Amino acid sequence: MSASADIGDLSALADIASGAKPVHVICLGLSALDQVWRVDRPFAGGSEKIKAIEYGTLGGGMAANASVAVAKLGASVAFWGRAGNDAAGHEMKSAFTAEGVDVEHFLLFPDGRSSVSGVIVDSSGERQIVNFRGLFPEAADWLALEAVARASSVLADPRWVEGAATLFREARARRIPTVLDGDMADAEVFERLLPLTDHAIFSEPALTSFAGSANDESLAALARFGCRVIAVTRGEVGVSWYENGELHRQAAYAVDVVDTTGAGDVFHGAYALAIGAGLEVRAAMAFSAATAAMKCRHAGGRNGIPDINECLVFMRTKP
């Protein structure tokens, strides 16, 4: 096991900030409308009523949040996904546009129903989520795959399997790096997508569900799928990954946590940007950990995401 102290060359990120190095990321998967309640404490269980301190409606979803992170960091990004032609779908589309995300391939189906989530965030920053994933066709034959040619990297979550497989196959054919957000999904989803994935980054619950445990040895066992990198994010502990036959670890950056909602999504978006910019994996992991930590200092899944220069300053001042 090696720990990443030397995070490597980050100059490519500064080049993105200055406009000297164009990077374009495609993020495909879930977009949800999050209804967020802030409370002093979570539900204890059973029938119970608790008072909300605050309430808001925000755009959410794994790949959706990742795309906003890429945009806020300062790179070009497109979100590819599905929603219903309903109020929630239009609200999500408007939110993407306001953040500078390309939504040409975010399709609002006339007979579809958008994904909506209820999120309860307690005073410690931890959250509970209930999600309606929406109803829309699984087919991905409407995607304009010629647009993949201009991508520096592509990212997908496991919520639209046909779309992710279609995007990853096209990216692989063009030798464009593929990044999988390994959130909770059935085993057959990962068995289909991992052979098409260059960089797979799991959450601890998802890795436990798929591999039987979330320990570092499980990462090595998943090398059989042929991914270049298999990783697991561990919240305040950091991230572990298996690469080139070796296990590595990046510690988390210490911050005063206000809200962890969306932190994993932000990590994935930052990582896809960094890999698209050509960073080595250890540098990409450090940058992603820093970006996610900075987001956790603010309430809301998309609030507080820094730009690249803010993140680089943070990394220079934090141990």
Side-chain angles (χ1 to χ4, degrees), residues 5-315:
D6 176 14
I7 60 177
D9 185 9
L10 299 175
S11 60
L13 295 175
D15 289 342
I16 294 172
S18 69
K21 184 179 181 66
V23 170
H24 179 65
V25 180
I26 295 172
C27 298
L28 177 148
L30 176 67
S31 178
L33 194 66
D34 288 349
Q35 300 183 63
V36 183
W37 290 265
R38 301 193 177 282
V39 298
D40 283 328
R41 60 174 181 83
F43 283 103
S47 180
E48 185 180 5
K49 181 184 290 186
I50 56 178
K51 181 180 179 180
I53 301 168
E54 188 180 343
Y55 167 80
T57 302
L58 307 166
M62 293 166 288
N65 284 340
S67 71
V68 172
V70 174
K72 289 195 171 188
L73 285 164
S76 168
V77 61
F79 177 75
W80 291 14
R82 306 162 297 163
N85 188 19
D86 50 25
H90 286 282
E91 187 167 349
M92 288 186 280
K93 200 163 193 174
S94 295
F96 279 131
T97 302
E99 297 288 4
V101 178
D102 182 337
V103 290
E104 183 178 355
H105 294 94
F106 179 40
L107 187 59
L108 305 185
F109 288 88
D111 297 325
R113 294 179 65 193
S114 295
S115 178
V116 180
S117 295
V119 184
I120 296 175
V121 183
D122 67 23
S123 57
S124 71
E126 293 301 318
R127 81 272 193 209
Q128 298 169 310
I129 302 174
V130 59
N131 169 246
F132 170 68
R133 291 189 181 176
L135 294 172
F136 11 67
E138 177 68 11
D141 52 2
W142 53 272
L143 292 174
L145 294 177
E146 63 274 8
V148 177
R150 61 181 288 258
S152 308
S153 64
V154 302
L155 174 149
D157 65 40
R159 294 295 175 262
W160 181 18
V161 183
E162 192 61 39
T166 300
L167 175 62
F168 278 15
R169 280 194 298 267
E170 184 69 20
R172 272 284 178 91
R174 297 179 182 273
R175 298 188 177 183
I176 295 167
T178 59
V179 179
L180 179 65
D181 182 338
D183 197 70
M184 290 294 295
D186 293 336
E188 54 264 31
V189 171
F190 292 125
E191 288 164 0
R192 182 177 181 189
L193 295 181
L194 286 174
L196 300 171
T197 299
D198 299 315
H199 304 259
I201 306 176
F202 285 85
S203 66
E204 284 188 298
L207 183 62
T208 300
S209 175
F210 180 57
S213 79
N215 60 31
D216 290 335
E217 289 69 26
S218 295
L219 300 176
L222 294 184
R224 68 185 186 275
F225 287 101
C227 304
R228 176 187 168 193
V229 172
I230 297 279
V232 57
T233 55
R234 303 189 185 281
E236 64 183 12
V237 176
V239 57
S240 303
W241 74 95
Y242 185 82
E243 177 191 12
N244 295 328
E246 205 175 335
L247 286 164
H248 308 267
R249 179 177 293 134
Q250 166 67 45
Y253 288 85
V255 295
D256 293 328
V257 174
V258 173
D259 186 356
T260 63
T261 303
D265 309 332
V266 170
F267 184 102
H268 286 86
Y271 186 85
L273 183 158
I275 291 300
L279 267 67
E280 294 184 4
V281 171
R282 71 182 187 279
M285 291 291 183
F287 172 68
S288 305
T291 306
M294 293 180 76
K295 175 257 136 338
C296 288
R297 302 184 303 183
H298 300 266
R302 297 176 180 177
N303 294 330
I305 301 171
D307 64 30
I308 284 178
N309 285 329
E310 290 171 331
C311 193
L312 293 178
V313 169
F314 175 84
M315 294 174 75

